[in-house]
Amino acid sequence: MSARILTPDADAIEASIAQLAGIVDDSEEGWTRQVFSDPYKLSRESVAERMREAGLEVHVDGGGNIVGRLAGTRGGELKPLMTGSHTDTVRAGGRFDGIVGVLGAIEAVAAMRRAGVQLQRDLYVVDFLGEEPNEFGVSCVGSRSVAGVLLPEHLDMRGTSGATLGGTMERFGLDPQRALANAWQPGALHAYIELHIEQGPMLERSGDQIGVVTAIAGIDRLMATFTGRQDHAGATPMDARMDALTAAASAVLTIEREGCGAPVHGVATTGRIEAYPGSFNIVPSEARLWAELRSTDSEWLSGVKGRLAKEIGEEAERRGVGLMIEWLTDQDAVPTSPAIRDIIARSADRLGYSWKPVPSGAGHDAAHLAHLGPMAMIFIPSVGGRSHAPEEFTPTDDIVRGVDVLIDVLTELDRAEALLA
Ligand SMILES: [Zn+2]
């Protein structure tokens, strides 16, 4: 048995994750490093330094992404590879979401250098700016910028503090106009690959070590407004009401039922509900709810959109309540590249790791990078399926296996001729 020369250093990975976990907002629970915050600014300097130590040439691009380049022997003639993720967190989040994809990629480069392995293609390792949703309602700011889907209207979005995204970027030391002009050409990448924690329970349930992501879920968000009649809650008989809130409550259950009926991976969530005038003794005249549907199955998504409008509308009508549904966003499901999925599966087999195809219910920078070339993702298990919470945890052994596969996939992709998207 020949010893493998290209292996990640478990201690280095663990130490780098622990170090980044120390740069957080201490006034919050868990780990909080939100985009544009002081801890985020500090942590980015440490990520850039770590990239340099691994042998990458580092710069901050027009979109505020920290980009480390490892020059390939034929970098001038072949399309480059890209890998990465994000190091910002949600409020009271964890230590692994996004972070393993950045620090794992840096360790992959360090391992290649230790082993004296040189790629033919240039490899870009990217820490994308602000992947998590922020007060402006714009997630994936940096990856949108690279992919050419960051728009002027995104920069004009106003947050809870009254500032715009563009203004906030400027205060963070970035030029918003440069962020709009930062896009790579479609087709410019040979491949994009992202290592990430699963953030759900499927790998843990099946006992598999590596997830080969099949697709990143599409999202449809809606706001439904129910209009009834304001009446005295004591004097108005139950059969003489036009109660906007009970119509909305019934809609919450309809939305849940549709989510439960999804064939592949589909979920439906009502996250917020409001009633007006909002008093014990008044039958609500108006109610609003905000809900979202997510699935990797575009057909299911569009089907459920139509069914929801019909079912909720019929129930509201039965209650004498008017309904208006406004679809706020729709983001299509993004399938990963079958060619890269095969490469990931073969790498896992070769390294002796069990793997399983899994959908991604969460959004990722990778979804935007699909504009630039074939894209895929490698998942590693999340203990208890927990994420976006302080309890988020992935043992070092699992992270090492993920980085091991990432290294192998990068070297395979480097050798591969043009991949079909
Ligand atoms: Zn993430």
Side-chain angles (χ1 to χ4, degrees), residues 145-309:
S145 164
V146 167
V149 289
L150 183 72
L151 306 172
E153 50 260 43
H154 290 136
L155 299 179
D156 292 338
M157 300 281 269
R158 232 166 253 286
T160 43
S161 61
T164 60
L165 171 60
T168 305
M169 287 176 79
E170 239 173 298
R171 262 192 309 286
F172 196 68
L174 300 169
D175 177 349
Q177 291 313 311
R178 271 190 68 205
L180 295 178
N182 185 48
W184 293 40
Q185 286 301 313
L189 283 183
H190 180 58
Y192 175 81
I193 179 90
E194 181 168 343
L195 171 66
H196 205 283
I197 58 168
E198 186 200 337
Q199 305 181 275
M202 289 186 206
L203 291 174
E204 191 180 68
R205 280 184 188 168
S206 68
D208 287 303
Q209 295 164 320
I210 295 293
V212 180
V213 176
T214 52
I216 299 169
I219 308 177
D220 281 326
R221 293 200 167 118
L222 69 98
M223 182 181 76
T225 306
F226 299 84
T227 313
R229 196 183 63 200
Q230 186 171 337
D231 279 307
H232 195 293
T236 315
M238 296 307 287
D239 62 359
R241 297 179 176 205
M242 295 152 85
D243 184 337
L245 184 55
T246 51
S250 160
V252 172
L253 298 178
T254 303
I255 290 166
E256 183 197 38
R257 197 174 56 245
E258 283 293 348
C260 293
V264 193
H265 176 75
V267 286
T269 310
T270 304
R272 184 173 157 203
I273 188 162
E274 282 177 3
Y276 311 92
S279 180
F280 282 118
N281 58 357
I282 304 173
V283 176
S285 56
E286 192 179 301
R288 263 186 214 164
L289 68 78
W290 287 260
E292 62 162 47
L293 314 165
R294 295 196 191 205
S295 181
T296 49
D297 181 342
S298 305
E299 245 171 82
W300 179 79
L301 264 184
S302 61
V304 93
K305 261 176 97 164
R307 281 202 302 280
L308 272 186

Side-chain angles (χ1 to χ4, degrees), residues 90-104:
V90 294
R91 198 164 159 188
R95 289 162 287 174
F96 304 93
D97 172 5
I99 293 143
V100 298
V102 175
L103 299 179

Side-chain angles (χ1 to χ4, degrees), residues 4 58 80 92 95 99 115 120 164 175 236 240 261 281 304 313 317 338-339 341 365-366 374 399 409 414:
R4 293 182 45 233
V58 181
R95 289 162 287 174
I99 293 143
Q120 341 173 50
T164 60
D175 177 349
T236 315
N281 58 357
V304 93
E317 201 183 326
R341 288 205 296 261
D365 291 307
I399 301 172
V409 168
D414 184 53

Side-chain angles (χ1 to χ4, degrees), residues 13-86:
I13 291 171
E14 200 168 80
S16 66
I17 289 171
Q19 190 255 344
L20 208 62
I23 313 176
V24 286
D25 180 347
D26 290 326
S27 67
E28 300 278 357
E29 261 183 81
W31 287 269
T32 302
R33 196 169 45 244
Q34 286 181 289
V35 66
F36 307 126
S37 68
D38 289 340
Y40 185 56
K41 193 165 209 169
L42 259 179
S43 72
R44 282 160 56 88
E45 284 164 24
S46 122
V47 169
E49 188 47 41
R50 212 167 268 286
M51 282 186 180
R52 280 185 209 102
E53 282 166 16
L56 293 158
E57 298 160 32
V58 181
H59 74 280
V60 175
D61 75 3
N65 305 302
I66 304 175
V67 180
R69 174 175 167 268
L70 183 70
T73 51
R74 295 170 65 202
E77 45 179 311
L78 298 174
K79 284 187 189 180
L81 295 166
M82 188 183 278
T83 183
S85 196
H86 62 97

